[in-house]
Amino acid sequence: MEKCDVLIIGAGPGGLAAAVGAKNAGADRVVILERDTSAGGILNQCVHDGFGIIRYNEQLTGPEYAVRAVREARAAGAEILCGHQVIRINDDRLVTAVSRDGLKTFSAGAVVLATGCRERTRGMISIPGSRPAGVFTAGVVQNFVNVRNIMPGRRVVILGSGDIGMIMARRLTLEGAEVRAVIEVLPEPAGLSRNVSQCLYEYDIPLFCSHTVSKIIGKKHLRAVEISELDDKMKPVRGTEQTIECDALILSVGLIPENEVAETAGVRLDQRSNGAVTDECLQTSVPGIFSCGNSRRVMDLADFVSQQGELAGRNAAAYLTGAEMAAWDESRGTSMAKGYPVPGTVTCTLCPNGCQVKWTEEGYEGNRCPRGEKFAEEERTSPKRIVTSTVRLSGGRLLPVRTDRAVPKESVRDVVRSLRDLKIEAPVKCGQELYRFRDGAGDILTVTAVADVSGPACAQI
Amino acid sequence: MDGVIQQSDILIIGAGGVGCAVARELSRYRLSVTVLEKECDVASGASGRNSAVVHAGFNNKPGSLMAKLCMEGNRGFEKACRELGVPFRNTGKVLVAFDEEDIEILKGIIDQGRQNGCEDLRLIGAEELERLVPGVGGIGGMYSPHTSIFDPFAYCVALAENAAVNGVRFRFSSEVSAINRTAEGFIVRTADGSEFRCRILINCAGLFSDRIAEMAGVSGYHLYPCRGEYFILDKVADRLLGMPVYPAPKTGAGGLGVHLTPTMHGNIIIGPSAEYIDERDDYSTTAEVMDDLLAEAAQLMPSLERRYVIGNYAGIRAKQAPPGEGGYRDYVIREEETCPGLIDLIGIESPGLTASIPIAGMVRDIVGGIMPLKEKDDFIATREMPVRFSELSEAEQKQLIAGDPEYGEIICRCQKVTKREIRSAIENPLGARSISAIKYRAWATTGRCNGGYCLTRIVDMLVNEYGMKPEEITFRGRGSEMFSGEVK
C-alpha cells in the first residue's frame, strides 16, 4: 500500500489544476491517477483553439492547454501515474487502481474526483429506426478524426448543436466531408454563440432548430436520416418529415458527469444530472472526498474546470491540516453567451463574455470593454482566424498543429489543404516550427506543433 | 473463395442457437460437418435478440413438441452451461396477476404446466410477490422456480467453438443462393460462388427456413416475421430485480407479453412487443412501440425510470401462425418425405434456445436413421469459460496481471474489460472479425457509454496490432463498414 496526502483521480484540466492547488497549499505527496496512456484528458483531442482565454489570457488549442497544465502540475511536484484505472474507493479513502503493474492500493488523506464526463448516446435518447454502422457520438468522432486519423464518413448529419457538435461540423468540413445539416431540438442553438458563427455560419452549414432526427434509416449501414419539425411539446409534427441522405450521423446531445468511481465511495449524486453533490467548498457527501469540473457539473470552458480544480485541490490540502477552506463562486463558469448570435453583430471571442458587438453610424456598441471594439472592427474589415488542424506523422499518427497567428478568414481552407500532404517525422516538441509559407497577403505564416511526440508513432504529451 | 468445392457428410444452414447445437451434437460422431451462415457470426438472428430466459415449459400446449423439448431443455440447461462455460443463473420467475381474471388464467397455466411435467408451479399472494420481487405491482401471481437466465451470445459461441474444436467447419458471410438435389445428396451454392456438397442437409435457417426448404424443392411452409422491440436498462438489476417478471398472458397473444428480465450482466431488459411486419430483416424500433413498452413496464414495476435506459434492440420471431390466427404453431422437425436427406426445422421460435439441445438430439436421431453414427473416441465435451476479469477476486486479478500485463489495461471502462480479454475476442477460434463479434464475446461497448470510451481503443488495436485498414472494420460484416477511411 502506498500513502499519499492528496490523491487525484483524472489528469484532465481539473485534476492537473487540483494537483497544483494541493501542492501550493502545502500538501506533501500529491498523486494523480490517469486511466489513459497520457495526461491531458479530452484536451488532447480538442485540436481547435479557444482554450486559455481566462487562465492564460491567450488563444490556445486544447493540446497546448494540456501541455501547460501538465507542466504546471509537474513543476508543482505532483506525480502523474498514467495507465491507472481506479476501480474503487472504500470507506477509509483506500483507492484501488488497476494497471499493467498490477493492483495498487493508495491510502489517501484526501481525494479529489476529477473524472470528467461522458456523452449521452443514441441508446439513451431512443431515436427510432434501425441500428446500422455509421452512428457515432461527437466526442468519439473527434477522437477518431483528430487523434487516430480515421474518418467516420463523407456525408454527415449532426444531431445536437452543442459545442462539440458544432466544432466537429467545422472540423469535418475542413477535412473534406460534407456536413449536410446540424439538427437541434431546442428553438435556439445549444452551444456558445461564438461557435454558431465561427463553426456553422462561416462554413454555410444548415442549422435546423426545433427539429429532431425522427428515424434512422439503413439496415447494415446508415443510408439516411429522417428529420421532423417539433411542436412546442417537443413531439415530431406529422407531415414535416424530410429525408437527408448521409453516411454518418453524429450525436452531440449532451454530457453526463462520470461518477462510477465516486459511486463506489458512496458519494451522493444528483439524481437528475448525475453530478457529484458538494458543499460550497467542493467537498462531497463523503468527508475528505472532493469533486470538481465536469464530474461535478458540466462546464462550458476548460478554463473554468481548471479554476475549480485548483480550488478543490487547495481545499483537499486544507482538509488534511484542518485549515479553513474557501468557497467556490458559483456565478463563475456560467457567463458564456449561448444561442443564436444577435443578427448584425459580431460575437467577440476574446473573453468568455462573448459580447455581441454592433456597428452603427456612431461607432460600436454592445462591447463591455475597449478590446471588443478593436475585435469588431477587425471582424468587419478583415476578419482573421487562427488555423488549427493536424498533420500526419510518419507511422500514421496525427500531430495537432496551429498557425502562429490568425490568417485571413478566406484562406483558412487553403491552409488546411496545404497541411494535408505534409509529412513530419517524430520526435516533435510542442512549439516546434514545422512549416513556413506565405499567405494570400504575402505575409509569412508559421505552422507549429502543439504537442510533444516522443518517438515514432507514439503521440504523447 | 470463389468456386471452392467442399464435400461433407452434413451441411447445416444457419448458425443460430439451433444450428450451433446441432453442429455440436453431430461433432460427437465420425462425420464431416460444415455450417453455412449468411451473417458474419453466430447468433445473428433471433438467437441474439431475445429475452435471454431459460423457459420452464409451462407456456406450451400439452403434447406439443414445443412443450416436450422445452421441458427437456430446461432440465439439462444448467449442466450444458457448466460443460460449455456459459454464464447461467437459476433465478425463478413470476407471472403477475392484476385482477381475478388473471388469477384464473394463471390457474390454467399451472394446470398446463403440470400436464407438461412442470410440477412445482404455484400461485402466490401479494405478500409473497412483494417478497420475491419487491416493488412489482399486482394482487398476486404465479411462481416458477425452474426458470433461469443465461447469456445467449455466450451460449451460441460456446456451442460453436466446442463444435469447431471437434472438427466442425464454420463458414460465415455465406448466404445460400441455390440448392440442387443429386443422387448422392445436395449441391448448395452460396452467393460468393462457392459450392458445397453434402449427403444430408439440415435446415436451421430460422426466419428463412421456409425459403431454404423452398430452394431444396419443399414448398408449403410460410413464416410470418413478428417483431419484438426491447429496451435495455443500465445495471440496476442487482438493486431492483432478482428474477424475470411477466404479466399473466392474454389469450391468443403471439408472445409472452412485455416483461422485465434481469440479465447475466446486471442489466434489466424490457420487452418484447409483438407486431407482425413485412420485412424479415427490419430490426427497427419505433416511437409508438417504445412508448408502449415503457408504459407496460411501469405497470409491472412503477419504480422503473426512463433515465435508466441505455439502449434498444429488436428481434424477429419466425412464426408459422399468420397474423389473423395468433398464438403458436408447433415446431416442425423432420426429414422431408418428398426430399430424402433434407432435415427441416421450421418455426423454431421461443422457446427455441431452451429447447436447442433436445432439438439437436432429435436431429441426431433422424441423421442416425439415414446413416450409421459412430461416436468419436476423442470428443471433447467441455469448453472453458473465457476469463472475465471484473468478476474475479482481487487475488486472482493480481495473479492474472502478473502473468500478462494486458490484464492490467482496462479498455472498456463500463464493463471493466481488459485488453487481454479484447485480444481473446479478436482472436476467437471461429475467426469472426467484426466489432459485434468482439462486443458479444468480451462484452465491451455494451455499457452505459455505448462504446464511447472503448470503441476508439478497440479500433486502435485492430488497426495497429492486427493490420486492418479503417475501412475494413465492420460492425456486423460486409456492408456495415464503420469508417470511410483515413483522414489524411
Side-chain angles (χ1 to χ4, degrees):
Chain A
M1 178 159 3
E2 295 191 37
K3 274 193 184 305
C4 57
D5 294 318
V6 177
L7 186 89
I8 297 158
I9 303 171
L16 291 164
V20 173
K23 284 302 284 189
N24 289 349
D28 193 16
R29 188 177 182 213
V30 175
V31 176
I32 309 179
L33 299 179
E34 166 57 45
R35 65 189 181 186
D36 208 345
T37 50
S38 57
I42 294 301
L43 289 167
N44 292 330
Q45 68 187 51
C46 299
V47 304
H48 55 279
D49 65 328
F51 297 89
I53 49 179
I54 301 170
R55 203 160 163 80
Y56 302 111
N57 200 22
E58 271 184 73
Q59 285 280 356
L60 299 177
T61 65
E64 283 175 298
Y65 190 99
V67 165
R68 288 198 193 192
V70 172
R71 282 181 192 159
E72 286 166 3
R74 290 224 167 94
E79 297 163 52
I80 307 175
L81 299 178
C82 290
H84 282 65
Q85 166 96 43
V86 173
I87 52 171
R88 90 186 132 259
I89 305 178
N90 85 354
D91 300 344
D92 303 319
R93 291 188 297 281
L94 293 179
V95 178
T96 307
V98 177
S99 76
R100 287 178 65 92
D101 304 330
L103 246 58
K104 273 188 227 167
T105 303
F106 295 82
S107 169
V111 172
V112 179
L113 301 165
T115 46
C117 55
R118 63 173 188 270
E119 296 183 277
R120 195 178 297 280
T121 65
R122 188 240 162 128
M124 299 178 120
I125 60 171
S126 304
I127 306 174
S130 53
R131 265 159 302 285
V135 181
F136 301 90
T137 54
V140 169
V141 169
Q142 189 176 49
N143 185 287
F144 277 128
V145 171
N146 290 345
V147 179
R148 300 185 205 268
N149 195 19
I150 293 175
M151 199 70 173
R154 293 281 158 197
R155 296 198 303 165
V156 178
V157 170
I158 297 176
L159 175 62
S161 58
D163 291 312
I164 317 171
M166 292 196 281
I167 284 162
M168 284 318 294
R170 174 179 62 184
R171 184 86 197 101
L172 288 164
T173 305
L174 286 171
E175 292 296 355
E178 180 195 351
V179 178
R180 309 201 72 190
V182 172
I183 317 289
E184 170 59 50
V185 294
L186 298 173
E188 288 234 359
L192 304 180
S193 305
R194 73 165 193 211
N195 286 332
V196 180
S197 54
Q198 294 198 357
C199 299
L200 303 185
Y201 290 178
E202 287 181 15
Y203 294 89
D204 297 322
I205 296 169
L207 170 64
F208 295 81
C209 286
S210 294
H211 275 72
T212 195
V213 171
S214 46
K215 196 174 181 186
I216 291 174
I217 302 166
K219 280 173 184 162
K220 291 201 152 184
H221 201 283
L222 181 69
R223 208 159 46 70
V225 293
E226 178 197 89
I227 69 167
S228 299
E229 214 174 301
L230 294 172
D231 63 20
D232 48 12
K233 294 193 184 75
M234 304 280 270
K235 287 276 175 203
V237 180
R238 260 172 212 227
T240 62
E241 299 87 355
Q242 309 175 44
T243 303
I244 305 177
E245 286 184 22
C246 56
D247 62 359
L249 171 64
I250 297 174
L251 307 178
S252 175
V253 290
L255 300 170
I256 301 165
E258 175 132 305
N259 276 311
E260 275 80 355
V261 171
E263 276 183 301
T264 67
V267 166
R268 195 154 72 82
L269 304 183
D270 184 276
Q271 288 297 298
R272 275 181 53 203
S273 71
N274 202 53
V277 176
T278 70
D279 62 15
E280 73 272 17
C281 298
L282 307 173
Q283 189 166 203
T284 68
S285 61
V286 180
I289 298 185
F290 295 76
S291 178
C292 65
N294 290 344
S295 50
R296 177 177 174 271
R297 182 182 301 169
V298 175
M299 297 178 122
D300 290 336
L301 286 189
D303 296 61
F304 297 141
V305 170
S306 296
Q307 289 180 335
Q308 198 178 65
E310 195 164 341
L311 181 67
R314 213 167 79 199
N315 285 347
Y319 174 85
L320 294 174
T321 57
E324 200 178 330
M325 294 187 220
W328 170 255
D329 173 7
E330 208 61 69
S331 69
R332 280 201 281 183
T334 50
S335 58
M336 296 289 285
K338 291 187 183 175
Y340 280 119
V342 178
T345 67
V346 164
T347 306
C348 176
T349 59
L350 296 178
C351 88
N353 288 336
C355 294
Q356 312 274 308
V357 188
K358 190 171 184 175
W359 185 79
T360 65
E361 293 293 325
E362 285 87 49
Y364 290 95
E365 57 183 52
N367 50 309
R368 285 179 243 182
C369 78
R371 292 196 306 162
E373 183 173 329
K374 194 163 161 269
F375 180 88
E377 173 68 18
E378 188 174 89
E379 274 294 290
R380 196 169 68 84
T381 53
S382 58
K384 290 194 171 87
R385 300 284 175 264
I386 290 170
V387 181
T388 64
S389 187
T390 56
V391 296
R392 194 188 158 98
L393 287 166
S394 52
R397 291 275 175 154
L398 295 179
L399 171 72
V401 298
R402 63 172 288 174
T403 53
D404 60 333
R405 59 202 159 74
V407 309
K409 201 165 88 177
E410 56 279 6
S411 33
V412 170
R413 282 171 193 255
D414 291 339
V415 175
V416 172
R417 210 169 296 136
S418 72
L419 295 174
R420 290 186 71 87
D421 302 322
L422 205 60
K423 293 272 187 326
I424 304 290
E425 297 284 330
V428 182
K429 292 297 278 181
C430 181
Q432 184 179 324
E433 280 187 22
L434 301 172
Y435 182 52
R436 274 181 180 212
F437 63 104
R438 281 183 196 283
D439 68 11
D443 296 328
I444 292 177
L445 259 182
T446 307
V447 174
T448 60
V450 297
D452 298 334
V453 178
S454 57
C458 174
Q460 233 169 30
I461 297 290
Chain B
M1 293 299 251
D2 281 9
V4 171
I5 299 176
Q6 283 198 27
Q7 179 78 45
S8 35
D9 297 321
I10 312 274
L11 193 64
I12 298 168
I13 301 175
V18 172
C20 291
V22 170
R24 192 245 181 175
E25 181 57 31
L26 294 179
S27 74
R28 296 174 190 273
Y29 304 93
R30 292 187 209 167
L31 297 167
S32 59
V33 180
T34 302
V35 181
L36 299 182
E37 166 56 50
K38 76 179 169 71
E39 302 298 330
C40 70
D41 201 352
V42 299
S44 296
S47 301
R49 301 160 177 276
N50 53 70
S51 303
V53 168
V54 182
H55 295 284
F58 53 78
N59 282 313
N60 311 104
K61 204 170 142 195
S64 64
L65 261 184
M66 263 182 180
K68 174 177 167 282
L69 295 169
C70 182
M71 285 301 305
E72 276 179 53
N74 181 283
R75 288 194 190 111
F77 215 90
E78 183 164 14
K79 181 168 165 276
C81 286
R82 221 173 17 242
E83 273 182 10
L84 293 166
V86 176
F88 168 95
R89 191 162 84 235
N90 177 231
T91 52
K93 148 174 160 174
V94 293
L95 268 60
V96 180
F98 289 99
D99 51 32
E100 288 304 323
E101 198 182 319
D102 284 348
I103 302 266
E104 290 309 308
I105 290 172
L106 292 179
K107 283 179 184 164
I109 287 180
I110 292 175
D111 184 49
Q112 178 169 281
R114 282 202 188 110
Q115 292 180 57
N116 291 347
C118 188
E119 297 289 350
D120 39 16
L121 306 171
R122 60 185 167 83
L123 285 180
I124 54 174
E127 216 167 275
E128 192 171 2
L129 182 70
E130 178 60 24
R131 192 173 54 75
L132 288 171
V133 278
V136 166
I139 60 164
M142 185 198 96
Y143 176 58
S144 158
H146 289 296
T147 306
S148 300
I149 62 173
F150 75 121
D151 177 343
F153 299 106
Y155 178 69
C156 297
V157 165
L159 286 167
E161 286 187 0
N162 186 239
V165 161
N166 288 301
V168 174
R169 283 171 296 187
F170 281 81
R171 289 281 306 263
F172 296 112
S173 304
S174 297
E175 183 167 2
V176 171
S177 55
I179 300 172
N180 292 322
R181 240 175 85 70
T182 65
E184 297 81 36
F186 299 88
I187 300 176
V188 174
R189 289 190 179 80
T190 54
D192 67 355
S194 302
E195 205 174 283
F196 298 84
R197 289 162 190 260
C198 63
R199 285 184 62 194
I200 295 176
L201 182 63
I202 306 178
N203 174 7
C204 300
L207 194 53
F208 298 86
S209 53
D210 56 342
R211 294 190 182 163
I212 293 293
E214 182 99 43
M215 277 188 208
V218 178
S219 52
Y221 297 118
H222 189 85
L223 294 175
Y224 300 90
C226 179
R227 184 168 62 199
E229 298 184 26
Y230 289 92
F231 273 109
I232 312 169
L233 306 190
D234 208 336
K235 293 190 182 180
V236 289
D238 290 347
R239 189 153 58 81
L240 296 178
L241 187 71
M243 67 179 74
V245 176
Y246 289 55
K250 302 287 171 246
T251 336
L256 302 176
V258 171
H259 46 263
L260 311 174
T261 310
T263 72
M264 289 306 297
H265 303 278
N267 304 84
I268 292 178
I269 44 191
I270 300 175
S273 53
E275 175 198 8
Y276 281 95
I277 55 171
D278 300 328
E279 284 180 86
R280 296 189 187 203
D281 58 349
D282 182 2
Y283 290 106
S284 298
T285 45
T286 58
E288 298 75 22
V289 171
M290 285 194 275
D291 288 347
D292 290 349
L293 284 183
L294 285 178
E296 290 186 48
Q299 202 192 353
L300 280 172
M301 194 174 201
S303 60
L304 281 186
E305 290 181 43
R306 178 72 183 75
R307 68 188 175 95
Y308 298 147
V309 170
I310 62 164
N312 320 75
Y313 63 100
I316 301 179
R317 304 172 182 86
K319 295 198 77 71
Q320 294 184 87
E325 179 181 312
Y328 296 84
R329 284 196 198 169
D330 204 4
Y331 296 156
V332 173
I333 301 170
R334 65 179 170 218
E335 184 186 9
E336 297 291 354
E337 268 177 42
T338 59
C339 187
L342 171 68
I343 301 173
D344 269 332
L345 293 86
I346 311 283
I348 316 293
E349 56 177 310
S350 176
L353 280 169
T354 306
S356 53
I357 289 177
I359 289 173
M362 233 181 118
V363 171
R364 174 207 56 220
D365 292 344
I366 299 172
V367 171
I370 304 171
M371 59 168 75
L373 294 177
K374 287 191 200 106
E375 282 192 37
K376 287 175 187 164
D377 304 328
D378 55 352
F379 175 71
I380 300 162
T382 57
R383 167 188 172 271
E384 215 163 297
M385 188 183 286
V387 171
R388 291 247 181 263
F389 181 84
S390 65
E391 291 168 11
L392 300 176
S393 70
E394 234 176 70
E396 290 169 311
Q397 290 177 337
K398 277 185 182 158
Q399 202 182 346
L400 279 180
I401 301 172
D404 186 341
E406 284 197 350
Y407 279 116
E409 283 184 63
I410 293 188
I411 296 284
C412 167
R413 59 151 200 95
C414 296
Q415 313 286 22
K416 308 276 182 293
V417 182
T418 64
K419 187 169 187 184
R420 184 67 189 79
E421 292 165 86
I422 302 281
R423 191 178 297 295
S424 297
I426 295 173
E427 296 175 359
N428 68 78
L430 298 173
R433 175 75 63 89
S434 66
I435 297 296
S436 70
I438 297 165
K439 171 178 175 178
Y440 294 130
R441 283 167 179 77
W443 213 241
T445 79
T446 62
R448 56 181 67 149
C449 87
N450 278 199
Y453 184 74
C454 63
L455 180 63
T456 55
R457 288 158 175 84
I458 292 170
V459 167
D460 208 69
M461 284 176 78
L462 291 172
V463 171
N464 292 311
E465 297 178 36
Y466 292 88
M468 291 180 83
K469 293 191 176 118
E471 61 273 25
E472 292 170 349
I473 299 171
T474 69
F475 181 60
R476 278 180 182 272
R478 214 170 303 147
S480 66
E481 287 71 23
M482 296 283 292
F483 310 105
S484 59
E486 291 192 320
V487 178
K488 53 190 65 168

